[in-house]
Amino acid sequence: MATPLDSPLTFSNVGRDKWWRSGFFASQTGYVLLALVALFVVMNFASPYFLTEGNMQNVAKNFSFIAIATLGVTFVIITGGIDLSVGSVMCFSAMITSMVMTHISTPGMPGADWFVHLAPDDKTVIANMPGLILLVSVLAGLGVALVVGLVNGFCIAVLGLSPFVTTLGMLSIVRGLGYVVSNGRGSFPSGPEANYLYTLTSGVVFGMPAPFIYLVVLAVVMAVVLHHTGFGRHVFAVGGNEKAAALTGIPVVRVKIEIYVICALAAGLQGIIISGWLGSAPANMATSYELNVIAAAVIGGANLAGGAGGPLGAIVGCVLLEVIRNGLVLAQVNSYWQQTLVGVIIIAAVLVDRLRSRMA
Amino acid sequence: MAETLLELSGISKTYPGVRALDDVNLRVCRGEVLGLIGENGAGKSTLMRVLAGVIEPSAGVIRIGGNEHARMTVTEATQCGIAFVHQELNLFENLDVAANVFIGREKLAGGPLKLVDNAEMRARVMPLLERLGADFTPTTLVDNLSIAERQMVEIAKALSIDARVIIMDEPTSSLTISETERLLEVIADLKAHGISVIYISHRLGEIMSCADRVVVLRDGRTVGELARDELSHAAMIRLMIGRDLKALYTPPMRAPEPGGCDITGVVTSAFPDRQINLSVRRGEILGLAGLVGAGRTSLARAVFGVDPLLGGEIRIDNTPVGVASPRDAIRQGIYLVPEDRKKSGLVLELPIRENVTLASLLDHARMWLVNSAAERKIAKDQARRLSIKAPSVDIEAVTLSGGNQQKVVLGKWLSMQPRVMFFDEPTRGIDVGAKSEIYALMRSLADQGVAIVMISSDMEEVIGVSDRVAVMHEGSVSGVLERDQFSEYNVLRLAVGHALETMETAAP
């Protein structure tokens, strides 16, 4: 078998696969996208209202509400981990953001005079520096998400606990903390800059809902990070073979902590955006969203065993779930069917992938 | 011994685009040990899987005890008395020995509940273990057994179904020298009881010592058969590769230079009460021999920063180096090619290109962005230098053969600047041709001034490739042999903890 170094080699097994059997079109993301296109066509005939601008905006806004968190959880899934705490983090970050905003916008509260002063009429509250309140409160919300991510990452990467158990515990801890800090009532943003928050989260720019624009930007960033940076390569390597990654000098512990932090930050941001649109952060906000988020990632082709996944798949998964929900509403189907159908789609998407790899 | 037990005739197996087996004939007599050899990909495993009923042949007949089968199922094969001791042992680590032996055919106590009769199963397994000379009991958890002991469990399982033919696929690849000898004794005992063994191995020395007859496969065809009195290494190798293999040893181009790696008083976590002293010069290949579990891999892991260093000092070119993690070691130019390339060497789902550049990635990154052009160039250079046989550097590592996968692991390190390289069992499970390429590569690295430590349990390799051989025994170095002292006898003596008879030149 020892061929001389310069001898030309030919391979009979190369170039035999049809284009549709290799690359993107053969991936789970590819045919879920195909299914999505088919669904759009069907819905267009089924309901004249479906492709209207209003409905499309509605769909875009709704899937953006879970898609940013899905991007985050996709990082975790690529490394072979799981994060069940995203729903709780969404709620807690949103709650902290609005509580901090309320606190520092209320003259007389400790520290509040750095941010606001009273107008001469003694009633109107005026911000000392426009935007500062919003910035500080959003950073506070993301800050608690960061802490949750660090704790998750530390327990999993350093202490070696199982991701499932760690984040299941964190789901409960963070949700519980949310009830504690708000006394079970939740909170809502108030003060002179609450309107900024509302505008930034439920506004429409060039006909597109603001959350959708954030999503697109973050997805592009994520695609670049995953495929064109050393960090991204390390994420795939850790998910593909953690042992080999460690023996290659990849800082496995650091990579793992980083992806749990990224996931928690994405969930925190998502929570803040949702609360801006809702106008409040109720204590039961985003309950069980972690399941939708994980379902969307998996439908889009992220492999729970690690090693595969990407931003496009995450988004495609979210869009599919939302279009089905929207379609069922337009078709006036009992909305309780939605959950059943989502389950069927999760299994079907993974099943098709299984059948394909068995045929190949 | 002429009584034919089973016969495979005209067996072919085609996969789309590949002819794995082409008109293969194989006969096994009662109570004989049949050696089955061939390079990787020659079709040995495929043929045995046909016999064991795992895969269906495209053409051909299997004759067993007068019955003809066009194909077999696993159940039929078992009923015909064919047992398979797989290369990767198929045991349940969470169950005890008796449960493993009777898995799938548990003995049931009477009664409507169909409870499993553990006492009965244990009572039946006990005599089998005694016969095999095993020193564990039916209630031992398989998790607590060594690989050699697990193999005994597999053989006990074969005996428990009254197997007439036991297929052993590379049974010694993970065994120590003494365990291998024990296995060969067991095989002789099986043979004496009229049980036939089909013995697949790359280790020709073992084939020489146990086989009554050897069948050689090449490219899916039977290319020759050697009777007991025709057996020789040269004859087997010539049939396997269709040409003569040059002598293994190529002397270094230049004398070993001063400098290199000095390991003094190093204590590893595997043997906290032993110290290791070892030196390897630049330009030298130091063979590191010893029984499995003698602490060779632990030493490599400690020097590479995977396991903590409990004491001692590592110097490279007389400068002490700190290795708290693999990253530190890599920064110092100490690289490790690990033992199990699939589990620890490669990320199988990633393409060759990304595997090769995984360690050096950030050196070619600007503003954290990977320079794809540079990455591709590095991967292509390594693929060319190592003659990795693949259509492009973009195909996944999982699709490559063992030898080519190993070359990808090497390419990863060679794309950087090695100073000291540890090779842990670099040619395990690799075919003869690729082996000699890897030896040539190690030699050329040494000639470029790299200090090379080659851990190997393959005696031919240790003696044939090394410039010096250090032998480890229970956690420390029991002796170092110069080339004129090389002999299997000397290595073995040191490996089991004896001193050399005379430290002068021993008879070869």
Side-chain angles (χ1 to χ4, degrees):
Chain A
M1 297 284 259
T3 323
L5 285 177
D6 298 322
S7 80
L9 288 162
T10 51
F11 291 87
S12 55
N13 59 342
V14 177
R16 283 187 309 123
D17 280 355
K18 299 280 192 297
W19 59 267
W20 46 268
R21 302 189 84 175
S22 61
F24 176 73
F25 290 93
S27 70
Q28 189 177 325
T29 309
Y31 53 71
V32 171
L33 185 59
L34 218 62
L36 185 61
V37 171
L39 194 61
F40 263 81
V41 174
V42 171
M43 283 309 302
N44 186 30
F45 285 110
S47 163
Y49 181 68
F50 179 71
L51 272 185
T52 59
E53 190 185 340
N55 190 49
M56 279 297 106
Q57 272 186 8
N58 195 22
V59 167
K61 188 185 70 203
N62 282 342
F63 78 72
S64 306
F65 280 167
I66 63 164
I68 293 174
T70 307
L71 294 182
V73 99
T74 298
F75 270 105
V76 172
I77 291 178
I78 294 174
T79 64
I82 190 99
D83 191 345
L84 299 172
S85 63
V86 287
S88 300
V89 173
M90 284 186 205
C91 172
F92 196 50
S93 282
M95 200 178 269
I96 293 296
T97 301
S98 52
M99 287 175 81
V100 167
M101 181 180 279
T102 306
H103 180 95
I104 61 179
S105 310
T106 311
M109 295 301 270
D113 26 330
W114 294 359
F115 299 97
V116 286
H117 60 269
L118 280 176
D121 64 359
D122 258 4
K123 278 182 194 159
T124 317
V125 179
I126 296 173
N128 291 347
M129 193 210 243
L132 186 63
I133 294 176
L134 181 67
L135 184 71
V136 167
S137 27
V138 167
L139 285 181
L142 293 179
V144 294
L146 178 93
V147 172
V148 174
L150 281 174
V151 173
N152 276 338
F154 180 79
C155 290
I156 292 161
V158 180
L159 302 181
L161 302 185
S162 112
F164 191 96
V165 176
T166 305
T167 58
L168 183 64
M170 200 53 85
L171 179 155
S172 201
I173 293 172
V174 175
R175 178 69 62 182
L177 287 176
Y179 281 103
V180 169
V181 298
S182 71
N183 245 333
R185 286 192 300 269
S187 61
F188 54 91
S190 63
E193 301 209 333
N195 279 331
Y196 291 180
L197 181 65
Y198 299 149
T199 311
L200 281 174
T201 53
S202 47
V204 174
V205 185
F206 302 125
M208 285 180 292
F212 179 73
I213 295 173
Y214 303 146
L215 171 65
V216 170
V217 171
L218 289 174
V220 170
V221 170
M222 174 170 171
V224 172
V225 166
L226 272 183
H227 297 293
H228 297 284
T229 66
F231 171 73
R233 194 64 61 73
H234 292 174
V235 168
F236 279 107
V238 169
N241 188 343
E242 195 176 319
K243 219 168 147 186
L247 288 180
T248 304
I250 290 174
V252 174
V253 168
R254 202 176 79 200
V255 169
K256 279 182 154 182
I257 294 177
E258 282 165 350
I259 52 110
Y260 282 98
V261 167
I262 290 174
C263 180
L265 285 177
L269 180 64
Q270 184 81 81
I272 295 167
I273 292 173
I274 295 178
S275 71
W277 179 76
L278 285 176
S280 70
N284 66 349
M285 182 188 127
T287 305
S288 84
Y289 268 34
E290 58 277 350
L291 297 182
N292 293 338
V293 165
I294 293 167
V298 170
I299 290 173
N303 185 346
L304 284 177
L312 182 62
I315 293 176
V316 167
C318 293
V319 178
L320 189 71
L321 289 184
E322 174 55 26
V323 168
I324 284 169
R325 199 193 65 83
N326 181 266
L328 291 177
V329 172
L330 291 184
Q332 292 173 340
V333 178
N334 183 338
S335 65
Y336 295 133
W337 277 107
Q338 184 202 339
Q339 192 141 12
T340 313
L341 207 59
V342 168
V344 172
I345 289 165
I346 296 175
I347 296 176
V350 179
L351 181 71
V352 173
D353 190 48
R354 180 83 194 128
L355 291 178
R356 185 189 58 86
S357 60
R358 207 176 278 179
M359 278 189 302
Chain B
M1 210 171 287
E3 188 195 342
T4 302
L5 189 65
L6 72 87
E7 194 174 358
L8 298 170
S9 53
I11 300 285
S12 297
K13 174 69 192 175
T14 29
Y15 292 106
V18 188
R19 207 175 179 93
L21 292 175
D22 189 4
D23 193 24
V24 173
N25 299 303
L26 189 79
R27 189 168 49 84
V28 181
C29 301
R30 181 176 299 281
E32 90 169 331
V33 177
L34 177 71
L36 185 60
I37 60 174
E39 291 191 293
N40 280 355
K44 298 165 306 207
S45 297
T46 313
L47 184 64
M48 289 304 108
R49 285 158 78 188
V50 167
L51 182 56
V54 183
I55 55 178
E56 198 178 300
S58 316
V61 202
I62 304 168
R63 276 188 213 93
I64 302 178
N67 297 325
E68 291 204 352
H69 305 260
R71 59 166 184 273
M72 306 249 276
T73 64
V74 176
T75 327
E76 279 172 343
T78 312
Q79 279 163 1
C80 293
I82 297 169
F84 204 148
V85 177
H86 288 270
Q87 198 171 352
E88 294 96 15
L89 301 171
N90 292 326
L91 292 174
F92 302 87
E93 299 181 351
N94 52 345
L95 300 179
D96 70 13
V97 170
N100 267 284
V101 168
F102 283 100
I103 197 85
R105 18 179 216 108
E106 286 81 2
K107 298 287 168 201
L108 301 180
L113 290 179
K114 297 197 171 176
L115 295 179
V116 173
D117 189 348
N118 284 318
E120 164 75 6
M121 291 195 288
R122 285 165 193 164
R124 279 173 179 245
V125 171
M126 199 59 219
L128 299 177
L129 296 182
E130 279 166 7
R131 179 171 161 192
L132 295 171
D135 58 359
F136 49 90
T137 68
T139 51
T140 312
L141 213 57
V142 168
D143 200 25
N144 300 330
L145 300 181
S146 71
I147 289 187
E149 290 169 331
R150 290 179 193 202
Q151 217 158 40
M152 291 301 155
V153 176
E154 286 272 20
I155 296 173
K157 196 166 154 186
L159 294 176
S160 78
I161 60 163
D162 292 320
R164 289 184 288 173
V165 182
I166 300 179
I167 303 168
M168 297 190 187
D169 192 355
E170 294 281 354
T172 56
S173 60
S174 313
L175 299 194
T176 64
I177 297 166
S178 57
E179 286 167 343
T180 301
E181 279 171 5
R182 176 83 200 105
L183 180 71
L184 295 179
E185 280 167 28
V186 168
I187 290 174
D189 177 64
L190 294 174
K191 186 174 137 180
H193 284 81
I195 296 169
S196 313
V197 174
I198 301 181
Y199 193 92
I200 303 177
S201 182
H202 282 118
R203 301 206 177 150
L204 303 182
E206 287 163 18
I207 298 273
M208 288 282 289
S209 62
C210 76
D212 296 309
R213 199 158 53 88
V214 169
V215 169
V216 187
L217 292 183
R218 193 201 315 152
D219 300 333
R221 292 198 189 87
T222 337
V223 289
E225 190 177 316
L226 299 166
R228 175 87 204 145
D229 51 5
E230 297 169 318
L231 283 185
S232 71
H233 276 61
M236 287 192 279
I237 290 176
R238 207 176 305 125
L239 281 174
M240 275 163 73
I241 61 177
R243 61 186 157 82
D244 284 304
L245 200 67
K246 278 183 291 182
L248 285 176
Y249 186 70
T250 24
M253 302 263 282
R254 52 184 187 184
E257 297 162 26
C261 179
D262 294 295
I263 294 165
T264 30
V266 159
V267 180
T268 66
S269 46
F271 293 92
D273 52 348
R274 298 297 178 100
Q275 291 195 339
I276 301 168
N277 296 303
L278 196 66
S279 296
V280 51
R281 303 272 70 83
R282 284 172 166 272
E284 169 184 63
I285 299 178
L286 177 74
L288 191 53
L291 307 178
V292 171
R296 298 172 299 165
T297 298
S298 326
L299 172 65
R301 287 173 64 88
V303 175
F304 189 61
V306 186
D307 294 340
L309 207 60
L310 301 185
E313 191 184 46
I314 298 163
R315 287 166 167 270
I316 294 181
D317 297 341
N318 293 321
T319 317
V321 293
V323 280
S325 72
R327 282 172 85 72
D328 289 346
I330 290 166
R331 226 170 282 138
Q332 301 290 350
I334 305 176
Y335 303 155
L336 169 70
V337 177
E339 190 171 11
D340 185 335
R341 59 186 167 271
K342 282 191 182 154
K343 278 197 192 143
S344 345
L346 289 169
V347 185
L348 290 170
E349 298 93 338
L350 290 186
I352 298 175
R353 170 172 53 83
E354 298 187 10
N355 268 296
V356 167
T357 55
L358 200 52
S360 53
L361 199 61
L362 296 177
D363 302 342
H364 319 293
R366 195 166 282 177
M367 298 284 289
W368 302 295
L369 291 184
V370 174
N371 180 343
S372 320
E375 183 189 20
R376 177 169 298 274
K377 184 174 176 306
I378 291 162
K380 281 190 165 171
D381 287 349
Q382 291 304 328
R384 199 175 310 117
R385 171 173 176 196
L386 298 166
S387 63
I388 295 173
K389 290 176 198 100
S392 92
V393 293
D394 292 317
I395 70 162
E396 292 174 9
V398 68
T399 60
L400 300 176
S401 71
N404 283 307
Q405 286 183 345
Q406 186 71 307
K407 290 182 193 170
V408 173
V409 180
L410 293 179
K412 174 166 76 185
W413 296 132
L414 300 189
S415 65
M416 303 194 292
Q417 270 91 46
R419 293 204 287 170
V420 181
M421 279 188 83
F422 282 82
F423 289 80
D424 197 353
E425 302 287 356
T427 64
R428 173 175 291 170
I430 287 179
D431 66 61
V432 176
K435 267 187 188 181
S436 63
E437 287 179 59
I438 286 176
Y439 298 147
L441 194 92
M442 285 199 280
R443 177 55 70 198
S444 81
L445 277 174
D447 286 338
Q448 288 158 30
V450 180
I452 290 181
V453 180
M454 177 186 72
I455 299 174
S456 175
S457 297
D458 181 338
M459 194 69 87
E460 274 175 63
E461 178 168 288
V462 167
I463 292 180
V465 178
S466 321
D467 297 319
R468 283 190 306 148
V469 173
V471 186
M472 286 188 73
H473 171 70
E474 291 187 354
S476 58
V477 176
S478 52
V480 179
L481 300 170
E482 299 294 330
R483 260 208 89 72
D484 54 2
Q485 296 173 303
F486 281 12
S487 72
E488 293 200 21
Y489 182 75
N490 281 349
V491 173
L492 258 177
R493 274 194 76 88
L494 290 171
V496 295
H498 294 282
L500 291 185
E501 280 162 351
T502 49
M503 280 309 285
E504 281 136 44
T505 310

